[in-house]
């Protein structure tokens, strides 16, 4: 059996296709101000494509040797597991909100697109790119229009009072009046001030904005902060 070969023109074509397809995914992440954007996705895709081509065509001098087992999928298989550290670096936790999961998934899929192009499976790579962009762009509107109306909103509130003996009961009453449920309540007293940390769940179509304004107007309240109000990923 002859060793598999690939021309220089084909290598350039596959790398260029990887650049365009993975760049399209990275561009969407870039305009969304995500930590892994345009260049990251392109570099990741090019690396995956090159690894795949090296795995398939880079060891021709050993092909046909009886003592050498030729398996073009061995290097490519390590890409799937090795890409995990990049995805983990894109995931951030902010209070009750976990951000970066979509970007991590796009990195993982970009690696698959690069592998597909590197293996010469251009149709599959193009179809996957279209699918990823549809999920990132078209389904975002669907989520905003429909899913967000059904999903519970979980937020972290931090309310600081100017005195240490402040009663948190009015806070709970205000939140409940605005259709919010307090899941947890923690208190911190330091330097003559009292700070309450609340984890709140709100059922759609209600939100916390009106409640936050009412809490901020309460006597003795110095600061009101909230995290997790909206997932903008």
């Amino acid at each position: 059996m002859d060793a598999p070969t690939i021309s220089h023109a084909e290598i350039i074509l596959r790398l260029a296709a990887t650049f365009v397809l993975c760049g399209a995914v990275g561009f969407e992440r870039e305009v969304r101000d995500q930590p892994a954007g345009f260049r990251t996705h392109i570099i990741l895709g090019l690396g995956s494509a090159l690894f795949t081509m090296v795995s398939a065509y880079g060891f021709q001098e050993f092909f046909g040797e009886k003592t050498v087992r030729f398996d073009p999928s061995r290097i490519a298989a390590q890409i799937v597991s090795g890409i995990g550290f990049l995805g983990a670096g894109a995931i951030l936790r902010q209070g009750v909100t976990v951000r970066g999961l979509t970007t991590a998934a796009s990195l993982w899929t970009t690696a698959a697109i690069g592998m597909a192009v590197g293996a010469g499976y251009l149709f599959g790579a193009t179809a996957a790119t279209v699918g990823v962009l549809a999920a990132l762009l078209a389904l975002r509107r669907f989520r905003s229009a429909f899913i967000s109306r059904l999903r519970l909103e979980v937020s972290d509130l931090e309310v600081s009072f100017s005195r240490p003996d402040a009663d948190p009961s009015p806070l709970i009453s205000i939140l409940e009046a605005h259709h919010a449920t307090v899941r947890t309540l923690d208190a911190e007293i330091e330097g003559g001030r009292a700070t309450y940390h609340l984890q709140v769940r709100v059922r759609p179509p209600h939100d916390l904005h009106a409640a936050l304004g009412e809490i901020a107007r309460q006597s003795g309240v110095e600061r009101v902060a909230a995290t997790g109000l909206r997932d903008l990923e």
Side-chain angles (χ1 to χ4, degrees):
M1 182 182 297
D2 296 333
T5 59
I6 185 172
S7 66
H8 291 172
E10 181 68 17
I11 292 175
I12 295 175
L13 175 62
R14 294 187 185 185
L15 292 178
T18 301
F19 190 100
V20 172
L21 296 177
C22 297
V25 178
F27 180 79
E28 192 281 338
R29 294 285 83 192
E30 186 81 29
V31 298
R32 298 294 299 176
D33 196 27
Q34 295 300 312
F38 188 59
R39 294 181 300 171
T40 302
H41 282 74
I42 290 176
I43 293 172
L44 175 61
L46 290 174
S48 299
L50 182 59
F51 269 126
T52 303
M53 288 188 288
V54 167
S55 181
Y57 309 107
F59 304 96
Q60 299 180 24
E61 63 271 23
F62 300 108
F63 193 85
E65 295 288 338
K66 295 182 179 180
T67 58
V68 177
R69 182 179 178 181
F70 182 75
D71 184 1
S73 67
R74 294 185 66 180
I75 294 180
Q78 303 308 311
I79 300 174
V80 178
S81 57
I83 196 62
F85 81 97
L86 281 177
I91 299 174
L92 303 173
R93 182 179 180 88
Q94 300 175 344
V96 297
T97 303
V98 178
R99 295 180 52 82
L101 288 175
T102 303
T103 300
S106 70
L107 288 172
W108 184 69
T109 307
T110 299
I113 293 171
M115 292 171 63
V117 176
Y121 191 36
L122 294 178
F123 177 80
T126 303
T129 302
V130 172
V132 171
L133 292 176
L136 292 175
L137 297 173
L139 292 185
R140 185 193 313 280
R141 297 180 180 178
F142 174 80
R143 184 185 67 171
S144 300
F146 298 101
I147 298 179
S148 60
R149 298 179 182 179
L150 303 175
R151 187 174 60 182
L152 292 176
E153 181 180 282
V154 180
S155 306
D156 277 340
L157 302 185
E158 181 180 300
V159 183
S160 298
F161 288 87
S162 58
R163 59 182 191 275
D165 58 344
D167 184 8
S169 299
L171 304 181
I172 299 175
S173 299
I174 292 173
L175 291 170
E176 290 178 346
H178 288 272
H179 308 279
T181 302
V182 178
R183 301 178 64 184
T184 62
L185 173 62
D186 299 315
E188 178 182 347
I189 299 177
E190 182 180 2
R193 300 176 59 196
T195 301
Y196 294 97
H197 303 274
L198 304 92
Q199 189 177 93
V200 180
R201 181 172 59 189
V202 185
R203 292 189 176 277
H206 309 288
D207 58 49
L208 287 177
H209 293 85
L212 294 177
E214 188 172 344
I215 291 174
R217 293 190 294 269
Q218 295 297 301
S219 175
V221 173
E222 289 186 335
R223 179 175 180 269
V224 179
T227 58
L229 291 178
R230 286 289 184 270
D231 180 10
L232 300 179
E233 186 182 350

XYZ file of all heavy atoms in Angstrom, residues 9-46:
292
model
N -0.230 22.710 -2.436
C -1.416 23.504 -2.749
C -2.609 23.062 -1.907
O -3.396 23.895 -1.436
C -1.744 23.391 -4.238
N -2.747 21.760 -1.711
C -3.847 21.247 -0.899
C -3.688 21.651 0.565
O -4.669 21.970 1.250
C -3.916 19.729 -1.034
C -5.049 19.077 -0.259
C -6.419 19.418 -0.803
O -6.524 19.892 -1.965
O -7.414 19.214 -0.073
N -2.463 21.656 1.049
C -2.210 22.087 2.432
C -2.628 23.538 2.616
O -3.311 23.893 3.590
C -0.715 21.907 2.783
C -0.347 20.419 2.833
C -0.399 22.572 4.122
C 1.134 20.176 3.053
N -2.217 24.399 1.668
C -2.579 25.812 1.758
C -4.088 25.985 1.674
O -4.687 26.793 2.408
C -1.871 26.611 0.647
C -0.359 26.586 0.867
C -2.391 28.045 0.604
C 0.431 27.245 -0.247
N -4.737 25.223 0.789
C -6.187 25.318 0.641
C -6.895 24.942 1.939
O -7.831 25.628 2.374
C -6.655 24.418 -0.496
C -8.176 24.314 -0.697
C -8.748 25.680 -1.050
C -8.509 23.293 -1.776
N -6.465 23.867 2.564
C -7.119 23.424 3.799
C -6.888 24.410 4.936
O -7.799 24.686 5.730
C -6.612 22.033 4.179
C -7.014 20.949 3.186
C -6.635 19.567 3.684
N -6.925 18.562 2.654
C -6.786 17.249 2.832
N -6.352 16.777 3.992
N -7.058 16.406 1.862
N -5.681 24.950 5.029
C -5.423 25.933 6.083
C -6.211 27.219 5.836
O -6.711 27.841 6.782
C -3.930 26.233 6.166
C -3.044 25.086 6.668
C -1.574 25.499 6.654
C -3.451 24.648 8.071
N -6.343 27.613 4.575
C -7.127 28.807 4.266
C -8.601 28.592 4.591
O -9.273 29.484 5.131
C -6.958 29.169 2.782
N -9.111 27.409 4.266
C -10.504 27.111 4.599
C -10.711 27.106 6.107
O -11.733 27.589 6.613
C -10.899 25.757 4.008
N -9.739 26.577 6.842
C -9.817 26.596 8.305
C -9.834 28.024 8.820
O -10.603 28.371 9.736
C -8.616 25.849 8.908
O -8.606 24.508 8.430
C -8.684 25.840 10.424
N -8.984 28.870 8.241
C -8.917 30.275 8.644
C -10.274 30.950 8.499
O -10.739 31.662 9.400
C -7.865 30.988 7.784
C -7.529 32.380 8.238
C -6.389 32.619 8.983
C -8.351 33.453 7.919
C -6.075 33.912 9.406
C -8.050 34.740 8.330
C -6.909 34.964 9.087
N -10.931 30.722 7.360
C -12.216 31.371 7.088
C -13.316 30.822 7.993
O -14.075 31.587 8.620
C -12.600 31.191 5.602
C -14.016 31.701 5.357
C -11.606 31.925 4.710
N -13.424 29.507 8.093
C -14.524 28.900 8.843
C -14.399 29.171 10.342
O -15.362 29.589 10.994
C -14.559 27.394 8.577
C -14.866 26.974 7.124
C -14.801 25.463 6.980
C -16.227 27.489 6.684
N -13.212 28.940 10.879
C -13.027 29.172 12.316
C -13.029 30.666 12.634
O -13.477 31.075 13.712
C -11.722 28.529 12.788
S -11.686 26.737 12.604
N -12.563 31.481 11.685
C -12.616 32.927 11.889
C -14.034 33.441 11.966
O -14.314 34.398 12.693
N -14.947 32.813 11.223
C -16.349 33.233 11.276
C -16.934 33.012 12.670
O -17.656 33.863 13.199
C -17.162 32.463 10.233
N -16.603 31.869 13.267
C -17.078 31.598 14.637
C -16.416 32.559 15.614
O -17.063 33.128 16.505
C -16.797 30.137 15.019
C -17.242 29.863 16.457
C -17.509 29.184 14.064
N -15.108 32.749 15.467
C -14.389 33.646 16.369
C -14.847 35.083 16.263
O -14.861 35.817 17.263
N -15.247 35.511 15.063
C -15.733 36.884 14.886
C -16.989 37.130 15.706
O -17.144 38.185 16.326
C -15.999 37.141 13.400
C -16.497 38.527 13.114
C -15.622 39.600 13.066
C -17.857 38.764 12.906
C -16.085 40.883 12.810
C -18.326 40.039 12.658
C -17.437 41.106 12.607
N -17.898 36.154 15.718
C -19.119 36.298 16.514
C -18.787 36.426 17.990
O -19.371 37.235 18.706
C -20.044 35.107 16.262
C -21.450 35.279 16.788
C -21.600 35.040 18.281
O -20.722 34.333 18.843
O -22.553 35.535 18.889
N -17.836 35.629 18.479
C -17.437 35.709 19.881
C -16.732 37.026 20.186
O -16.867 37.575 21.279
C -16.503 34.539 20.225
C -17.147 33.174 20.161
C -18.065 32.914 21.352
N -19.394 33.487 21.155
C -20.298 33.604 22.135
N -19.996 33.227 23.363
N -21.484 34.103 21.891
N -15.980 37.539 19.206
C -15.256 38.795 19.395
C -16.219 39.958 19.583
O -16.039 40.793 20.484
C -14.348 39.049 18.194
C -13.437 40.258 18.337
C -12.197 39.972 19.153
O -11.731 38.815 19.156
O -11.696 40.913 19.790
N -17.244 40.042 18.742
C -18.189 41.149 18.842
C -19.040 41.030 20.101
O -19.653 42.016 20.530
C -19.095 41.230 17.596
C -18.266 41.496 16.353
C -19.923 39.962 17.426
N -19.099 39.842 20.699
C -19.805 39.676 21.968
C -18.895 39.928 23.159
O -19.293 39.747 24.304
C -20.380 38.259 22.069
C -21.410 37.909 21.012
C -22.658 38.732 21.149
N -23.314 38.522 22.427
C -24.394 39.182 22.821
N -24.922 40.096 22.028
N -24.940 38.936 23.983
N -17.650 40.373 22.886
C -16.688 40.737 23.926
C -16.386 39.554 24.846
O -16.333 39.698 26.070
C -17.200 41.930 24.734
C -16.097 42.581 25.560
O -14.929 42.479 25.159
O -16.410 43.168 26.617
N -16.178 38.395 24.243
C -15.832 37.196 25.002
C -14.313 37.054 25.098
O -13.577 37.574 24.247
C -16.433 35.954 24.342
C -17.948 35.940 24.341
C -18.526 35.991 25.745
O -18.109 35.242 26.623
N -19.475 36.881 25.965
N -13.806 36.358 26.140
C -12.352 36.268 26.334
C -11.632 35.561 25.196
O -10.476 35.858 24.918
C -12.218 35.488 27.656
C -13.521 34.783 27.828
C -14.552 35.688 27.222
N -12.269 34.594 24.557
C -11.682 33.914 23.402
C -12.407 34.398 22.158
O -13.587 34.105 21.967
C -11.818 32.395 23.546
N -11.701 35.174 21.338
C -12.362 35.812 20.210
C -11.822 35.386 18.866
O -11.506 34.220 18.630
N -11.694 36.351 17.970
C -11.375 36.115 16.563
C -10.053 35.356 16.397
O -9.995 34.281 15.799
C -11.317 37.473 15.866
C -11.183 37.405 14.373
C -12.133 36.769 13.598
C -10.108 37.996 13.743
C -12.018 36.716 12.220
C -9.985 37.961 12.370
C -10.937 37.315 11.612
N -8.971 35.913 16.925
C -7.655 35.301 16.725
C -7.529 33.953 17.428
O -6.922 33.021 16.893
C -6.566 36.252 17.224
C -6.457 37.540 16.410
C -5.349 38.419 16.925
N -5.599 38.792 18.321
C -4.702 39.408 19.083
N -3.514 39.716 18.598
N -4.991 39.726 20.327
N -8.127 33.853 18.626
C -8.025 32.592 19.365
C -8.661 31.448 18.594
O -8.085 30.354 18.491
C -8.697 32.735 20.738
O -8.082 33.803 21.461
C -8.548 31.445 21.541
N -9.835 31.678 18.054
C -10.522 30.622 17.309
C -9.757 30.249 16.038
O -9.682 29.066 15.675
C -11.949 31.057 16.953
C -12.912 30.966 18.092
N -12.904 31.852 19.142
C -13.911 30.067 18.348
C -13.862 31.533 19.986
N -14.486 30.453 19.545
N -9.208 31.246 15.362
C -8.441 30.959 14.149
C -7.201 30.138 14.473
O -6.910 29.122 13.822
C -8.055 32.268 13.437
C -9.292 32.925 12.820
C -7.007 32.015 12.353
C -9.015 34.271 12.183
N -6.440 30.561 15.472
C -5.218 29.849 15.838
C -5.538 28.427 16.287
O -4.835 27.466 15.936
C -4.460 30.622 16.934
C -3.942 31.958 16.364
C -3.304 29.806 17.486
C -3.353 32.869 17.406
N -6.606 28.288 17.065
C -7.005 26.964 17.522
C -7.371 26.069 16.335
O -6.956 24.903 16.260
C -8.184 27.081 18.476
C -8.808 25.773 18.967
C -7.786 24.957 19.729
C -10.017 26.051 19.846
N -8.148 26.601 15.406
C -8.545 25.817 14.238
C -7.359 25.438 13.375
O -7.255 24.299 12.899
N -6.432 26.384 13.154
C -5.250 26.092 12.352
C -4.384 25.022 13.009
O -3.864 24.130 12.332
C -4.441 27.371 12.134
C -5.050 28.425 11.209
C -4.196 29.693 11.202
C -5.202 27.887 9.793
